[in-house]
Amino acid sequence: MSGTTTAAAALRRRAAGAGANRWVVLVVLCVSLLLVAVDATVLHVAVPAVTEDLKPGAIELLWIVDTYPLVCASLLILFGTLGDKVGRRRILLLGYALFGVASALAALAPDAQVLILARALLGVGGAMIMPATLSILRQVFPDRRERALAIGIWSAVAAVGAAVGPLLGGFLLEHFWWGSVFLVNIPLMLVSLPVGRLLLPESRGAGDGPWDVVGALMAAVGLFGVVFGVKRLGGDEAAGSPATLVPLLVGAVLVALFVRRQRRQAQPLVDLRMFARPAFSTAVGCIVLAMLALVGLELIAAQYLQLVLGLSPLQTGLRLLPLTFAAMAAGLLGARALRRFGPRRMVCGGFCLTAAAVVVLTAMGETDDTGLLLFGFVLLGFGLETTLFAAYESMLSEAPAEQAGGAAAIGETSYQLGAGLGIALLGSVMNAAYAPGLASVPGVPAGASSAAGHSLGEAYEVAGRLGGPGGAALRRAAVDSFVHGLHVTLLVSAGLLLLGAVAALRLPRVMQCEGAAPGAGLPVPRSPEDQRVSV
């Protein structure tokens, strides 16, 4: 009897220890996410300083901002599925190392071309890190209730990173040169690399077949071509230009061939049957729409706060802070709200709340309205995080555990693809609404008006060179046109968000904690080597 009691107590202690280890793993994964999230936003407040120092052209400036999400989106499927095959922790640690090296290169970039290359390498590192964090989280939290809480914490940390990026960037720009915004990645990497090696468990998928190298490259090149073509359109390139059409067509063909190849493979990189589940496909679409509508607004908002309202980079970061606090609150409350309201009402309500926030922000003008910005940013942060949390949780829970890397890669690809497309699309809308107001400014030469139509920052430079009444008139016309373009862009974003709310009606009404998906929430048998946890 006493032996049975002792054995039971030992089992309880081991179970408690296993539970504790899961939460330690979550902490390490959250640090990994923080590394990527900070880098994704830290550059936004530094764009004016980069423009002044490196003098990039309009297309180069677009690439400095967009290369990271473009490269990252292109390679997520490649590295997510490779992690399923060779080990998710191994890919994660390699991503840390590359991220650190690329950050040093970006900080010391002497010109725009080197900075674009460094941002591309950061995108490669990010593509290694992001799907690995989500797939490891999916593996160590098989119970959906615990996993929902873990995803809520994970997404709250993402919001922290999004806020820390502009705030930290603003602080560094107040005291150092713009390259310092990249140096913050190096201490995080130096901590994450040894800690991750010691504490993270190694895990792999169940498949024993070869990794489809050809399929992975097809997906990477195809996605790159599609987004590259869209970026050309976003940079005011002609729709019929060969440099725009060729990447779009080649990318679309390669993506179609990738889908066809995966359907014929006995052991595909990505099990496309997941898309036959309404919850999975709808959640992926909602992530794309949310990012498509909103990521471009963040860049435009930073320019509005600095160039129209005249705030410093640090003040800009502080103004965006309420958005992050609201997003953190939504992430931490998300698990309980999801159990109570279900995925459908959570995602649909989040979209509607975010659309309302965007409409509120159309009242922004040429003068500072602190109360309006505070209210709008709080609504925006809470609504966006509610949408993304519920969509990510539904998508990840629908995927079988052995496909965790592929599913996480699809989710992160949709996030990054939506972000890249959003910047290109909303940037195009902004340019289309901004430029006509500067086509003919009284008292300003036609060449100066044309140059000012490229961006508000360039308009300020041209106005400064002109001076006198002509310069003042050009500056006034540029500000009026920028605010008008901002309003038009906000209304387009609100329309996309309402489209997302309609799409979310296909999600399940209630959160199914058992039997949500075949294989979901169940441990996958693996070899003894795969079951070991490196400590």
Side-chain angles (χ1 to χ4, degrees):
M1 182 73 175
S2 61
T4 303
T5 303
T6 302
L11 285 173
R12 284 195 297 271
R13 284 194 299 271
R14 283 197 294 271
N21 288 339
R22 288 200 298 276
W23 300 105
V24 171
V25 168
L26 176 63
V27 171
V28 178
L29 294 179
C30 285
V31 173
S32 306
L33 179 65
L34 188 66
L35 178 73
V36 178
V38 167
D39 191 77
T41 59
V42 72
L43 185 63
H44 288 172
V45 295
V47 167
V50 172
T51 303
E52 182 180 354
D53 187 26
L54 299 185
K55 300 294 189 295
I59 298 298
E60 287 179 326
L61 181 60
L62 192 65
W63 275 103
I64 287 171
V65 176
D66 289 354
T67 294
Y68 176 84
L70 167 62
V71 172
C72 195
S74 303
L75 297 177
L76 283 166
I77 290 177
L78 188 153
F79 286 117
T81 56
L82 182 61
D84 285 342
K85 181 60 60 178
V86 304
R88 294 152 185 157
R89 189 192 70 157
R90 181 177 299 173
I91 296 297
L92 181 65
L93 297 180
L94 288 173
Y96 287 159
L98 181 58
F99 217 81
V101 172
S103 296
L105 179 62
L108 301 174
D111 52 45
Q113 291 77 17
V114 174
L115 183 56
I116 291 170
L117 173 62
R119 292 280 288 170
L121 292 176
L122 285 167
V124 177
M128 292 179 168
I129 294 170
M130 285 193 292
T133 61
L134 262 183
S135 55
I136 293 173
L137 186 150
R138 173 68 177 82
Q139 203 74 26
V140 299
F141 288 95
D143 179 75
R144 186 169 184 179
R145 292 183 182 88
E146 281 193 347
R147 185 165 63 248
L149 178 58
I151 292 174
I153 296 171
W154 181 86
S155 60
V157 170
V160 172
V164 167
L167 190 60
L168 185 58
F171 173 80
L172 291 171
L173 287 172
E174 292 280 334
H175 299 88
F176 306 101
W177 92 114
W178 60 263
S180 62
V181 302
F182 293 105
L183 294 180
V184 297
N185 297 328
I186 297 176
L188 283 172
M189 183 277 295
L190 291 175
V191 172
S192 299
L193 194 58
V195 171
R197 187 173 185 275
L198 287 172
L199 298 180
L200 288 178
E202 183 62 281
S203 63
R204 298 178 177 85
D208 296 325
W211 184 58
D212 184 9
V213 179
V214 174
L217 292 176
M218 288 171 64
V221 177
L223 287 170
F224 189 94
V226 169
V227 183
F228 178 82
V230 173
K231 284 182 180 296
R232 297 276 301 180
L233 292 174
D236 292 330
E237 294 292 331
S241 168
T244 301
L245 284 179
V246 171
L248 276 173
L249 293 176
V250 171
V253 168
L254 285 174
V255 170
L257 290 175
F258 169 77
V259 171
R260 182 182 178 186
R261 181 182 179 87
Q262 296 310 294
R263 287 176 174 171
R264 295 183 174 184
Q265 292 282 92
Q267 293 182 330
L269 285 174
V270 178
D271 187 356
L272 297 177
R273 291 175 296 179
M274 290 188 292
F275 283 95
R277 302 171 185 168
F280 186 89
S281 57
T282 302
V284 170
C286 287
I287 293 169
V288 172
L289 275 173
M291 301 313 299
L292 181 66
L294 291 166
V295 166
L297 291 180
E298 185 174 352
L299 181 60
I300 295 170
Q303 293 175 341
Y304 168 78
L305 293 172
Q306 291 185 68
L307 297 178
V308 175
L309 299 186
L311 302 181
S312 70
L314 182 58
Q315 289 172 326
T316 298
L318 290 171
R319 285 296 185 91
L320 294 172
L321 208 54
L323 185 152
T324 304
F325 287 145
M328 289 169 55
L332 295 175
L333 296 173
R336 180 175 295 181
L338 188 62
R339 290 195 299 269
R340 180 173 179 179
F341 299 110
R344 182 186 300 178
R345 280 187 285 182
M346 279 277 288
V347 177
C348 187
F351 269 125
C352 291
L353 187 62
T354 310
V358 169
V359 172
V360 166
L361 290 174
T362 58
M364 291 187 300
E366 298 174 19
T367 57
D368 193 359
D369 189 338
T370 305
L372 173 71
L373 293 176
L374 176 63
F375 180 67
F377 286 162
V378 167
L379 279 183
L380 190 67
F382 196 90
L384 174 62
E385 185 59 30
T386 297
T387 300
L388 290 176
F389 161 77
Y392 262 110
E393 198 283 332
S394 297
M395 180 208 70
L396 205 58
S397 294
E398 282 292 310
E402 66 271 18
Q403 285 280 331
I410 290 172
E412 294 294 347
T413 299
S414 63
Y415 184 100
Q416 293 294 331
L417 190 60
L421 292 173
I423 291 175
L425 175 63
L426 296 185
S428 298
V429 172
M430 182 70 185
N431 291 337
Y434 167 77
L438 297 173
S440 178
V441 180
V444 177
S449 294
S450 176
H454 296 153
S455 69
L456 183 58
E458 191 165 347
Y460 283 174
E461 290 183 8
V462 174
R465 290 197 299 267
L466 284 176
L474 180 61
R475 186 180 181 92
R476 169 54 54 192
V479 171
D480 290 342
S481 296
F482 185 89
V483 172
H484 168 70
L486 177 62
H487 292 165
V488 172
T489 306
L490 287 168
L491 291 175
V492 171
S493 296
L496 291 171
L497 291 163
L498 292 176
L499 180 63
V502 173
L505 296 176
R506 296 184 69 238
L507 288 170
R509 187 182 299 272
V510 297
M511 177 183 175
Q512 297 290 342
C513 293
E514 294 181 2
L522 298 176
V524 179
R526 294 188 300 276
S527 67
E529 180 181 355
D530 289 343
Q531 294 174 359
R532 290 185 301 186
V533 177
S534 299
V535 178

